[in-house]
C-alpha cells in the first residue's frame, strides 16, 4: 500500500476526530481570511471615500477656522486663479433636523453640507444607494447617509425641517441616500448634503464656507499652488486627497490591527488543537506503528506518514476555511456597514489575501504535526507499552515544541501583517498575542495543581465521578494541558476584550465629565456673541452658571517649531469651582489663578507628550492676521475639550482671548445646574433652550455613550470572533475526551464491573471536561486581564488614559462560561462512555 | 448448605455477520455459600461468557441468574450496579487496576463508587492489603508493581467489600507458575479462613485443583462435573486423570 493511502486511511478510520480537527483548522483559517477581507474592505473604503470626496478635484483649500470659514472674496479669488479649471464650494454646519411637527416629531443631529449643485457636477459625482442627487433649480432637497437614514427609519420622500431656522425656511425632501463614501463617509455617515443657498438663508448667519475644491488644468498644480499662496488674504490650509484619506483612515486605525489579532488568536488555538489531535492519534497507534516498524518501515517513512496526515488535514481544513472565511468576511462587513462603526466597501474577493490565509493554515498545521511526527518516528519497533504512558519525558520536553509552533504562528503573523495594511502599533499586537499564548502554555503546567483546588466541588457534586474525573487529568498532562491551553487562549481573548472595553468606557466617562463642568452643555452651529447669549442661557430655569467656551484654531510656536492647535477659551472660575479638568502636572489652585491673571495656558497631556512640552515652558500663540503673544504652560491636564479635528485643545482664559485677539463669540456654553432642580428636569430644560437657539443639547452621559458606542459595537464584533476561537477550543475538548474514552474502555468496564452506574460513568467524563473548562476559564481571566493590560500599556491611545478597569462580573462569567461550554463539550464523549458494553470493554476493544 | 448463586438454563447468542452463534447453550449451575468452584474448558469454550453472565456484566438471551436471592435479569442499571457493588467482587486476567490511582485508592474504589467515606473504610483497606501481603506498598502506583502484585491488589479490592461471591477470570493467566501459585494461595486462604465463596475460571488444571468442585465446559455447555472436595494439598493428579478420560 502506498504511504499516502495509509495516511488517508488512518484519518478516515476516525471520522469524528478528523472532522472536528478539520473544523478547528477551518474556523481558524476562516477567521484569518475573514478579517483579511474585512480589513481590505475597510482600507478600500477609506481610499474610495477620499477619492469620491475629491472627485476630479486636485486640491482642497480649507479655511483655517472652520467656524468662521472663507469669505466670498476668497472663493472668487480661487475660482479665477490661473490653471483652475473648476471650483466647488463646500459649506458645513452641525445642526439638527426634525420631522414635521406632530405627535411623533423626531430630531436628528447631523453634519449638514451645503453645496452648489451646478458647480458640483464638474467636480464630483456622488455614489447613491437609492434615489437621486440634488438637482439644479430644486433647492429644497436633501440627500442623507444611507446607513444613518435606515437606522433612523427615514426613507426617500420623507420631509425634514431645519430646526431653529427662520420660520420661512422651506421643508426639505429626502431625494437620495448616499453610499458611505465621499460626503457620505464624513461624520460616520451621520451626514446630509443640501443646496448651500438654502442652508445659508435658513439662518441669520450663513453657514461658513469650510473649503473650496479645485480642479486644476493638467500640469498646472504648481502654478495654482503659487497663485493660492500669493492671492489669498485670509488664513487657509491646502490639502490633497492623501490628506483626506489619512484623516478618514485615522478614525479606524485600530480596527485592522485588532481584528487581525483575533485571526492570530484563532490560529494559535487551532495550532494547539491540531498538535494535540495528531499527538493523540500517534499515541493511540503506538502499537500499530510498532508493527509497521517491525514490518520494515523506516523512521523517515513513519514521520512522513504523520506529516502527510497533517498535510491532508491542513489542505482540506484550510480550503474549507477559505470558503468559510469569505462568509465570515461578508458578515463582518455587513455588520460594520450597518452599524457605521468602520467605513467598509463591498466584499472584496482578494485572491492574494485568501491564498495567504490558505497557506498560513496549511503551514500552521504542518508545523503542528511536526512534534507528533517526530514522536511517531521515535516509537521502538515493538512497543507493547500502554500508549498513554510513555515514560521518561518531562512535561516541558513535550510542550517545548508547541511553544515553538506558537512562536511560529506569531512570526507568520508578523510576516503577513503588512497585508492587513493596519496602522495600529505592531508592538501592541505582538505583546498581546504573546501574553495570551504564554498564558496558554502556563495553563498546561497549572492544570494539575489548579485542578486539585477547583475539583473539590466536583467531587462533592459528582461523587466518585468527580474524583476520578480529576484524577484522569493527571494521566497525560501534556494532552490535558494543551486542551486547556486552547480553551484558555480563546476565553482569554474574551476577557481581554471586556477589560479593554471597560477601560475605554471608564476613560470616556472621566474624559467627558472632566471637560464638562456641570455635566450639561449647549452647542450652537456657529459662534455667536457671548454678551448676547450668556444672559439667554443663564436665564434657563435651574441654571447656576452658563459659562461660554470659545473654540478657535491658532498656531503654537515653541522655539521656532510651529504647529496648528485647537484653542479653547474658558472662564477659569467656573471650571475651578465645578472641579473640572484633571491636573496631571501643576498645582490646581496656582494654575487657575494664573489663567485668571492672564498669559497662561493649560495643555493636554497627549499633546504635551507628543510634542515634548513641559510645565513652566514659555510658548508663543499666534492667530493668523493677529498679533502673537507669549504664554507660560502652567499645568498639564489629563483631558481637554476637543478641537476641530477631535484632538484636544490648548486651554486659555476668555479674558486673554478677547484682550489679545478680540474673541467675543462662542459656540459652546457649559450649563451648571442648581441643586434645586432634578437632573432629569434640567436635561429637558437645556434641550428646550438649545432647540430655541438652533443648538444641540449635550449631556456628559450622552456624549460619553456616543464616544464609546462605536467602540462597544466593534467589541461586540470581536467578541463574536473570540467566541469562534472558544468554539475551536471546545472542539479540542470533545476530541481529547472522545479519545480518552476509547482509550479507557477497559478501565471503564472494570469500573462498571465494580458497581459504577452508567450515570456515574457519564458524570466522570463530564466532570473531567468541566474541571478542564473551569481551570481554563480561571486562567483565562488572569491571562485576559494581562493581555488587556498589555494593550492598554503599549497603546499610546488616549482611549485608555484612565488606566485598566477590571470587570469582575465578566471575569466570573468567563470562568463559568469555560465551565459550561466544556461541560457541554463533555456530554458527547460521556454518552459514548455510557454506551460501552462491559464485556467488550473487558476484551479491550471499543 | 444454602445456595448463594443460581443459574438456570442460560443461553447467550452473539450476532456474527447476519446470523447468530449460540456460545452459551443452556448452562445451569448452583454454588453454595463458602464453596470454591472452578470452571474449566478449552479456549473459546464459553467460560468467560458464563462468568460475565453470572456477575451480571452481560445479560443472557434466555435463563436467569439469582445471586444471593436477587434475580439479576429484572434489575435496572442502578440496582444492577448496586448488586455488583455489594454482592460480587471481580478479578480479571490483566489490567485490573486504574493506573491513575494508588494501590490504596484502587482497593478503596468500590467504596468510592458507593459514595462511602473512604476514610471510614481505611482500616478495612489496610486489612485486605495485609491479607494479600502488600501493606508496604499502599502508596505505590500500579505501574510500580509487578504483575503478580497487581493481581494481589485486584484480589484485595474484590474482597474489600466482603462480597457474597468472588468471580475470577484467569487471574493467573498472565503469571509464571510460582507467582500464579501465590495468587491461588491467597484465594484458597480467603476461602478457608473467611468462608469466601469463589468461582474461578481457568484452563489450567493446576489452578482448578484448588477448587472443591470443577465444572467442565465445552461448546457452551457443562459437560461434566468433578468433585474434588476440600483438600489442603491441591494435588492436580486426580483432576488431570479425569480430564484425560474426557479427552481434554
Ligand atoms: N462479541 C462476540 N461476538 C461473537 N462471538 C463472540 C463474542 N464474544 C465471544 N464470542 C465467542 O464466544 C465464544 C466463547 O467466548 P469466551 O470468551 O467465553 O471463551 P473462553 O472460554 O473464555 O475462552 P478463553 O479461554 O480463550 O478466554 C468464543 O468462540 C468466541 O469466539
Ligand atoms: Mg476467557
Amino acid at each position: 500500500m502506498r504511504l499516502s493511502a495509509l495516511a488517508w486511511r488512518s484519518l478516515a478510520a476516525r471520522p469524528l476526530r478528523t472532522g472536528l480537527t478539520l473544523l478547528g483548522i477551518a474556523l481558524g483559517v476562516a477567521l484569518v481570511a475573514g478579517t483579511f477581507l474585512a480589513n481590505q474592505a475597510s482600507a478600500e473604503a477609506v481610499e474610495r471615500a477620499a477619492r469620491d470626496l475629491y472627485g476630479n478635484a486636485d486640491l482642497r483649500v480649507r479655511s483655517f477656522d472652520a467656524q468662521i470659514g472663507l469669505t466670498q472674496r476668497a472663493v472668487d479669488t480661487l475660482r479665477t486663479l490661473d490653471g483652475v479649471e473648476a471650483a466647488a464650494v463646500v459649506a458645513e454646519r452641525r445642526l439638527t433636523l426634525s420631522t414635521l411637527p406632530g405627535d411623533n416629531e423626531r430630531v436628528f443631529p447631523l453634519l449638514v453640507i451645503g453645496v452648489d449643485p451646478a458647480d458640483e457636477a464638474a467636480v464630483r459625482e456622488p455614489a447613491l444607494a437609492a434615489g437621486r442627487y440634488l438637482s439644479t433649480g430644486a433647492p429644497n432637497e436633501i440627500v442623507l447617509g444611507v446607513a444613518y437614514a435606515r437606522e433612523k427609519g427615514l426613507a426617500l420622500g420623507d420631509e425634514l425641517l431645519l430646526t431653529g431656522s427662520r420660520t420661512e425656511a422651506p421643508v426639505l425632501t429626502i431625494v437620495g441616500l448616499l453610499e458611505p463614501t465621499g460626503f457620505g463617509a464624513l461624520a460616520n455617515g451621520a451626514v446630509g448634503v443640501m443646496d448651500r443657498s438654502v442652508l445659508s438663508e435658513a439662518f441669520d448667519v450663513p453657514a461658513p464656507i469650510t473649503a473650496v475644491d479645485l480642479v486644476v488644468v493638467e500640469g498646472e498644480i504648481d502654478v495654482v499652488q503659487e497663485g493660492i499662496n500669493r492671492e489669498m488674504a485670509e488664513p487657509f490650509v491646502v490639502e490633497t486627497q492623501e490628506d483626506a484619506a489619512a484623516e478618514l483612515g485615522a478614525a479606524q486605525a485600530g480596527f485592522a490591527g485588532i481584528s487581525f489579532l483575533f485571526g492570530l488568536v484563532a490560529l494559535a488555538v487551532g495550532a494547539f488543537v491540531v498538535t494535540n489531535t495528531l499527538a493523540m492519534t500517534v499515541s493511540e497507534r503506538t502499537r500499530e506503528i510498532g508493527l509497521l516498524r517491525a514490518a520494515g518501515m523506516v523512521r523517515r517513512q513513519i514521520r512522513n506518514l504523520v506529516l502527510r496526515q497533517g498535510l491532508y488535514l491542513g489542505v482540506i481544513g484550510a480550503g474549507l476555511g477559505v470558503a468559510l472565511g469569505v462568509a465570515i468576511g461578508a458578515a463582518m462587513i455587513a455588520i460594520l456597514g450597518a452599524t457605521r462603526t468602520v467605513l467598509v466597501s463591498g466584499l472584496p474577493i482578494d485572491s492574494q489575501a485568501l491564498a495567504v490565509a490558505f497557506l498560513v493554515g496549511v503551514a500552521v498545521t504542518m508545523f503542528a504535526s511536526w512534534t507528533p511526527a517526530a514522536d511517531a518516528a521515535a516509537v521502538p519497533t515493538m512497543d507493547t507499552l500502554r500508549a498513554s504512558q510513555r515514560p521518561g519525558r518531562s512535561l516541558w520536553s513535550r510542550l517545548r515544541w508547541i511553544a515553538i509552533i506558537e512562536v511560529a504562528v506569531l512570526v507568520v503573523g508578523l510576516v503577513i501583517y503588512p497585508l492587513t495594511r493596519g496602522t495600529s502599533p505592531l508592538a501592541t499586537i505582538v505583546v498581546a498575542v504573546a501574553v495570551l499564548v504564554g498564558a496558554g502554555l502556563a495553563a498546561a503546567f497549572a492544570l494539575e495543581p489548579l485542578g486539585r483546588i477547583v475539583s473539590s466541588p466536583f467531587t462533592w457534586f459528582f461523587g466518585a465521578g468527580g474524583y476520578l474525573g480529576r484524577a484522569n487529568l493527571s494521566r497525560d498532562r501534556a494532552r490535558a494541558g494543551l486542551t486547556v491551553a486552547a480553551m484558555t487562549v480563546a476565553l482569554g481573548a474574551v476577557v481581554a476584550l471586556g477589560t479593554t472595553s471597560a477601560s475605554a468606557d471608564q476613560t470616556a466617562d472621566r474624559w467627558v465629565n472632566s471637560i464638562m463642568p456641570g455635566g450639561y452643555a449647549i452647542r450652537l452651529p456657529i459662534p455667536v456673541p457671548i454678551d448676547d447669549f450668556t444672559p439667554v442661557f443663564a436665564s434657563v430655569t435651574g441654571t447656576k452658571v452658563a459659562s461660554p467656551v470659545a473654540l478657535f484654531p491658532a498656531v503654537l510656536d515653541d522655539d521656532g517649531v510651529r504647529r496648528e492647535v485647537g484653542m479653547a477659551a474658558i472662564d477659569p472660575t467656573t471650571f475651578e469651582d465645578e472641579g473640572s479638568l484633571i491636573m496631571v502636572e501643576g498645582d490646581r489652585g496656582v494654575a487657575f489663578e494664573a489663567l485668571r491673571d492672564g498669559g497662561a495656558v493649560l495643555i493636554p497631556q497627549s499633546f504635551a507628550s507628543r510634542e515634548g512640552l513641559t510645565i513652566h515652558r514659555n510658548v508663543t500663540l499666534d492667530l493668523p492676521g493677529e498679533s502673537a503673544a507669549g504664554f507660560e504652560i502652567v499645568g498639564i491636564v489629563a483631558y481637554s475639550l476637543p478641537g476641530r479635528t477631535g484632538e484636544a485643545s490648548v486651554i486659555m482664559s476668555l479674558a486673554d482671548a478677547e484682550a489679545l485677539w478680540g474673541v467675543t463669540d462662542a459656540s459652546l456654553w457649559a450649563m451648571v445646574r442648581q441643586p434645586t432642580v432634578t437632573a432629569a428636569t434640567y436635561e429637558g430644560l437645556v434641550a428646550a433652550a438649545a432647540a430655541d437657539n438652533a443648538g444641540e443639547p449635550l449631556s456628559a452621559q450622552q456624549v460619553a455613550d456616543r464616544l464609546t458606542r462605536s467602540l462597544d459595537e466593534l467589541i461586540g464584533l470581536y467578541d463574536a470572533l473570540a467566541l469562534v476561537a472558544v468554539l475551536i477550543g471546545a472542539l479540542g475538548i470533545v476530541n481529547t475526551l472522545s479519545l480518552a474514552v476509547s482509550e479507557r474502555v477497559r478501565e471503564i468496564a472494570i469500573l462498571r464491573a465494580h458497581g459504577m452506574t452508567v450515570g456515574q460513568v457519564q458524570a466522570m467524563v463530564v466532570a473531567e471536561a468541566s474541571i478542564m473548562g473551569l481551570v481554563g476559564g480561571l486562567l483565562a481571566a488572569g491571562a485576559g486581564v494581562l493581555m488587556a493590560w498589555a494593550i492598554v500599556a503599549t497603546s499610546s491611545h488616549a482611549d485608555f488614559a484612565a488606566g485598566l478597569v477590571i470587570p469582575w462580573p465578566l471575569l466570573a462569567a468567563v470562568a463559568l462560561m469555560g465551565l459550561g461550554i466544556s461541560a457541554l463539550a463533555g456530554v458527547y464523549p460521556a454518552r459514548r462512555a455510557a454506551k460501552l458494553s462491559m464485556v467488550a470493554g473487558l476484551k479491550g476493544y471499543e | 448448605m444454602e445456595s448463594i448463586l443460581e443459574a438456570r438454563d442460560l443461553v447467550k447468542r452473539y450476532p456474527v455477520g447476519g446470523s447468530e452463534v449460540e456460545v452459551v447453550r443452556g448452562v445451569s449451575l448452583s454454588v453454595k455459600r463458602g464453596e470454591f468452584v472452578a470452571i474449566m474448558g478449552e479456549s473459546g469454550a464459553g467460560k468467560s461468557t458464563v462468568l460475565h453472565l453470572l456477575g451480571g456484566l452481560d445479560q443472557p438471551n434466555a435463563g436467569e441468574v439469582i445471586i444471593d436471592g436477587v434475580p439479576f435479569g429484572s434489575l435496572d442499571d442502578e440496582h444492577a450496579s448496586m448488586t455488583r457493588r455489594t454482592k460480587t467482587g471481580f478479578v480479571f486476567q490483566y489490567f485490573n487496576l486504574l493506573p491513575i490511582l494508588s494501590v490504596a485508592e484502587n482497593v478503596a474504589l468500590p467504596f468510592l463508587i458507593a459514595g462511602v467515606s473512604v476514610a471510614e473504610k481505611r482500616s478495612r483497606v489496610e486489612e485486605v492489603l495485609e491479607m494479600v501481603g502488600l501493606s508496604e506498598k499502599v502508596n505505590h502506583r500500579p505501574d510500580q508493581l509487578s504483575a503478580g502484585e497487581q493481581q494481589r491488589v485486584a484480589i484485595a479490592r474484590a474482597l474489600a467489600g466482603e462480597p457474597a461471591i468472588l468471580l475470577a477470570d484467569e487471574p493467573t493467566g498472565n503469571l509464571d507458575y510460582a507467582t500464579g501459585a501465590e495468587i491461588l494461595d491467597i484465594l484458597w486462604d480467603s476461602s478457608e479462613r473467611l468462608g469466601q465463596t469463589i468461582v474461578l475460571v481457568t484452563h489450567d488444571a493446576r489452578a482448578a485443583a484448588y477448587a472443591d468442585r470443577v465444572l467442565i465446559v465445552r461448546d457452551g455447555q457443562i459437560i461434566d462435573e468433578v468433585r474434588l472436595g476440600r483438600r489442603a494439598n491441591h494435588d492436580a493428579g486426580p483432576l488431570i486423570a479425569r480430564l484425560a478420560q474426557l479427552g481434554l
Side-chain angles (χ1 to χ4, degrees):
Chain A
M1 187 159 45
R2 303 254 321 272
L3 199 60
S4 54
L6 200 58
W8 186 250
R9 222 179 253 200
S10 168
L11 290 176
R14 296 275 176 207
L16 174 78
R17 185 179 325 152
T18 303
L20 290 181
T21 311
L22 282 178
L23 192 57
I25 300 167
L27 285 174
V29 170
L31 228 51
V32 172
T35 51
F36 271 171
L37 296 184
N39 283 341
Q40 178 79 10
S42 102
E44 279 178 12
V46 165
E47 260 169 41
R48 176 167 169 225
R51 206 166 51 234
D52 288 352
L53 188 62
Y54 272 64
N56 302 327
D58 301 284
L59 296 174
R60 160 167 282 203
V61 181
R62 167 167 81 69
S63 70
F64 185 72
D65 185 341
Q67 287 189 328
I68 295 170
L70 296 169
T71 58
Q72 189 56 44
R73 199 163 60 83
V75 173
D76 294 340
T77 308
L78 290 169
R79 244 186 232 292
T80 52
L81 277 180
D82 278 348
V84 170
E85 192 176 300
V89 173
V90 175
E92 269 178 34
R93 200 168 229 195
R94 293 214 131 264
L95 40 81
T96 318
L97 294 178
S98 58
T99 52
L100 299 184
D103 283 346
N104 30 12
E105 178 182 346
R106 292 179 302 142
V107 293
F108 314 98
L110 272 181
L111 173 69
V112 176
I113 293 171
V115 296
D116 301 324
D119 293 341
E120 280 294 293
V123 176
R124 67 200 130 219
E125 208 174 304
L128 290 162
R132 57 175 178 79
Y133 196 51
L134 309 175
S135 44
T136 352
N140 303 341
E141 296 176 342
I142 187 165
V143 292
L144 292 182
V146 59
Y148 182 82
R150 296 223 169 106
E151 188 183 306
K152 302 293 180 193
L154 292 170
L156 290 182
D158 284 0
E159 297 188 321
L160 296 173
L161 287 173
L162 293 166
T163 46
S165 59
R166 294 176 176 169
T167 42
E168 70 271 23
V171 171
L172 301 171
T173 308
I174 302 175
V175 295
L177 298 177
L178 289 170
E179 291 274 16
T181 179
F183 286 136
L186 301 176
N188 279 337
V191 70
V193 182
M194 60 183 286
D195 193 297
R196 187 166 70 97
S197 59
V198 179
L199 179 63
S200 289
E201 281 157 18
F203 298 91
D204 292 323
V205 183
I209 296 171
T210 46
V212 178
D213 294 329
L214 303 178
V215 182
V216 177
V217 177
E218 185 93 23
E220 300 283 296
I221 288 270
D222 292 343
V223 177
V224 173
Q225 287 266 22
E226 267 169 44
I228 296 170
N229 290 338
R230 192 178 57 242
E231 303 288 338
M232 285 290 285
E234 49 199 270
F236 67 91
V237 179
V238 177
E239 284 179 348
T240 61
Q241 194 177 311
E242 284 73 49
D243 297 322
E247 200 173 311
L248 284 166
Q252 46 200 46
F255 170 71
I258 297 184
S259 54
F260 179 66
L261 192 149
F262 282 96
L264 278 188
V265 166
L267 266 187
V269 175
F272 279 123
V273 171
V274 172
T275 310
N276 215 9
T277 308
L278 285 172
M280 289 189 289
T281 308
V282 168
S283 84
E284 190 188 33
R285 292 175 179 256
T286 307
R287 196 178 274 267
E288 237 175 274
I289 293 168
L291 287 173
L292 287 174
R293 295 268 292 122
M297 218 180 225
V298 298
R299 290 190 190 283
R300 183 177 42 79
Q301 284 175 305
I302 301 279
R303 185 173 51 232
N304 287 347
L305 189 68
V306 177
L307 286 178
R308 219 172 255 266
Q309 289 180 23
L311 182 68
Y312 293 160
L313 286 174
V315 168
I316 300 175
L320 288 174
V322 165
L324 197 58
V326 173
I328 287 188
M332 282 178 73
I333 290 167
I335 294 169
L336 292 170
T339 54
R340 300 185 287 115
T341 44
V342 170
L343 275 183
V344 281
S345 62
L347 179 68
I349 299 295
D350 178 345
S351 52
Q352 193 198 346
L354 292 180
V356 168
F358 177 81
L359 290 177
V360 166
V362 175
V364 167
T365 318
M366 290 300 289
F367 264 127
S369 42
W370 185 259
T371 328
D375 273 357
V379 169
T381 316
M382 256 320 277
D383 190 341
T384 48
L385 276 176
R386 299 243 4 227
S388 58
Q389 291 177 340
R390 188 88 44 75
R393 291 191 62 192
S394 69
L395 184 55
W396 171 239
S397 76
R398 298 191 55 187
L399 290 180
R400 197 176 49 210
W401 277 101
I402 184 79
I404 293 172
I405 290 157
E406 295 295 348
V407 169
V409 170
L410 279 182
V411 170
V412 168
L414 291 188
V415 170
I416 60 177
Y417 182 72
L419 261 184
T420 70
R421 301 197 220 166
T423 38
S424 95
L426 201 54
T428 304
I429 295 179
V430 174
V431 172
V433 179
V435 163
L436 213 49
V437 168
L441 284 169
F445 289 88
L447 175 60
E448 244 209 314
L450 251 181
R452 253 173 229 288
I453 296 168
V454 305
S455 65
S456 35
F458 293 92
T459 314
W460 171 77
F461 188 75
F462 288 123
Y467 184 81
L468 292 171
R470 205 273 301 147
N472 280 336
L473 288 177
S474 53
R475 195 184 290 262
D476 186 335
R477 290 171 62 206
R479 186 193 292 172
L482 285 183
T483 311
V484 173
M487 207 59 186
T488 304
V489 172
L491 288 172
V494 177
V495 172
L497 279 174
T499 309
T500 313
S501 127
S503 304
D505 283 0
Q506 157 127 339
T507 302
D509 278 351
R510 276 224 325 189
W511 185 80
V512 173
N513 282 309
S514 83
I515 59 164
M516 228 193 230
Y520 298 92
I522 292 173
R523 180 163 66 189
L524 300 183
I526 42 160
V528 294
I530 293 172
D531 289 347
D532 296 348
F533 278 78
T534 301
V536 174
F537 293 135
S539 69
V540 171
T541 317
T543 302
K544 187 163 118 197
V545 184
S547 182
V549 176
L551 298 169
F552 54 91
V555 172
L556 184 139
D557 189 328
D558 171 34
D559 271 344
V561 187
R562 295 169 63 83
R563 339 173 168 72
E564 187 182 338
V565 292
M567 298 297 304
I570 62 164
D571 168 19
T573 308
T574 311
F575 277 70
E576 186 178 17
D577 290 352
E578 295 305 316
S580 303
L581 296 179
I582 300 164
M583 242 8 122
V584 181
E585 261 177 76
D587 179 82
R588 193 177 169 82
V590 173
F592 278 108
E593 199 52 53
L595 278 186
R596 272 189 291 269
D597 290 348
V601 290
L602 300 175
I603 61 171
Q605 192 175 21
S606 56
F607 183 68
S609 59
R610 192 174 65 231
E611 303 292 349
L613 292 170
T614 48
I615 191 164
H616 304 312
R617 180 92 147 250
N618 289 307
V619 293
T620 307
L621 282 169
D622 206 348
L623 235 58
E626 306 277 351
S627 55
F631 288 85
E632 187 196 353
I633 297 172
V634 294
I636 295 181
V637 291
Y639 314 103
S640 173
L641 297 102
R644 187 188 68 87
T645 52
E647 86 285 19
S649 307
V650 172
I651 295 168
M652 66 188 296
S653 76
L654 263 174
D656 271 355
E658 182 177 0
L660 290 167
W661 303 312
V663 173
T664 51
D665 291 351
S667 55
L668 186 70
W669 269 262
M671 303 289 286
V672 183
R673 168 174 69 96
Q674 264 170 0
T676 47
V677 286
T678 65
T681 314
Y682 193 62
E683 194 166 346
L685 292 166
V686 168
D692 288 347
N693 295 282
E696 184 188 353
L698 302 173
S699 77
Q701 189 55 47
Q702 164 216 341
V703 172
D705 287 352
R706 207 182 302 158
L707 275 174
T708 52
R709 188 196 77 129
S710 68
L711 185 70
D712 287 346
E713 269 166 1
L714 271 186
I715 297 268
L717 181 68
Y718 294 145
D719 266 330
L721 301 184
L723 286 179
V724 174
V726 173
L727 189 64
I728 302 177
L731 292 180
I733 290 190
V734 177
N735 246 353
T736 304
L737 285 178
S738 298
L739 172 68
V741 165
S742 67
E743 259 179 4
R744 296 181 207 151
V745 282
R746 188 176 160 88
E747 272 178 50
I748 293 170
I750 287 187
L751 287 168
R752 298 268 289 125
H754 284 88
M756 209 176 212
T757 63
V758 168
Q760 283 178 304
V761 170
Q762 283 180 326
M764 177 175 75
V765 179
V766 170
E768 191 174 343
S770 308
I771 294 170
M772 284 203 239
L774 184 56
V775 170
L778 289 174
L779 289 170
V785 169
L786 217 61
M787 180 180 176
W789 172 80
I791 292 176
V792 169
T794 55
S795 77
S796 54
H797 243 260
D799 284 348
F800 304 115
L804 199 63
V805 177
I806 298 181
W808 293 106
L810 176 76
L811 299 195
V814 164
L816 290 179
M817 187 158 100
L819 177 72
I821 289 179
S822 308
L824 271 180
V827 166
Y828 171 76
R831 293 177 68 114
R832 268 186 45 174
K835 281 205 198 108
L836 292 173
S837 132
M838 272 182 272
V839 172
L842 287 171
K843 289 186 185 144
Y845 301 110
E846 238 174 303
Chain B
M1 243 199 287
E2 70 181 298
S3 134
I4 201 160
L5 175 69
E6 284 277 342
R8 290 192 206 111
D9 303 320
L10 294 179
V11 174
K12 183 66 190 178
R13 286 185 287 267
Y14 282 118
V16 170
S19 67
E20 284 196 323
V21 288
E22 210 164 80
V23 300
V24 174
R25 306 190 293 165
V27 165
S28 298
L29 57 85
S30 164
V31 178
K32 297 199 170 56
R33 192 182 288 281
E35 213 182 354
F36 189 155
V37 175
I39 298 178
M40 274 199 78
E42 296 171 323
S43 184
K47 308 180 296 289
S48 295
T49 310
V50 168
L51 193 80
H52 293 156
L53 294 174
L54 295 180
L57 299 188
D58 206 356
Q59 297 303 318
N61 296 87
E64 117 178 283
V65 174
I66 299 166
I67 192 156
D68 206 8
V70 185
F72 246 126
S74 60
L75 302 179
D76 60 10
D77 176 63
E78 192 76 31
H79 290 95
S81 295
M82 195 172 66
T83 308
R84 277 197 290 278
R85 220 150 53 211
T86 53
K87 305 282 184 199
T88 65
F90 271 101
V91 181
F92 302 102
Q93 187 174 350
Y94 58 92
F95 291 143
N96 273 292
L97 307 182
L98 265 65
I100 45 169
L101 301 182
S102 69
V103 164
E105 286 173 316
N106 261 293
V107 173
L109 190 64
F111 303 131
L112 182 71
I113 293 173
V116 180
S117 151
V118 174
E120 200 175 287
K121 293 287 181 181
R122 182 110 146 243
S123 59
R124 175 62 187 159
V125 169
E126 281 166 5
E127 197 180 323
V128 285
L129 278 171
E130 168 87 59
M131 207 158 94
V132 300
L134 283 177
S135 305
E136 307 292 294
K137 310 219 161 166
V138 276
N139 291 320
H140 282 54
R141 296 236 159 206
D143 56 9
Q144 296 165 328
L145 299 180
S146 73
E149 286 170 332
Q150 289 187 20
Q151 286 306 74
R152 284 197 262 162
V153 176
I155 294 172
R157 179 175 65 195
L159 292 174
E162 301 178 75
I165 184 158
L166 187 147
L167 302 165
D169 190 352
E170 311 256 21
T172 60
N174 249 18
L175 306 175
D176 61 50
Y177 177 69
T179 317
E182 281 173 27
I183 298 298
L184 291 165
D185 285 339
I186 292 171
L187 289 180
W188 167 257
D189 196 42
S190 72
S191 168
E192 262 304 272
R193 289 201 298 119
L194 311 172
Q196 178 66 51
T197 313
I198 299 175
V199 175
L200 168 74
V201 162
T202 181
H203 58 255
D204 180 357
R206 285 177 300 191
Y210 277 73
D212 305 326
R213 188 156 61 102
V214 181
L215 304 174
I216 316 285
V217 178
R218 177 185 281 171
D219 286 340
Q221 286 176 312
I222 297 179
I223 56 161
D224 197 12
E225 180 183 309
V226 183
R227 291 178 175 276
L228 297 169
R230 205 132 271 239
R231 305 163 309 144
N233 66 356
H234 317 310
D235 176 14
L239 179 60
I240 293 172
R242 176 70 189 135
L243 292 173
Q245 280 178 2
L246 291 168
L248 288 167

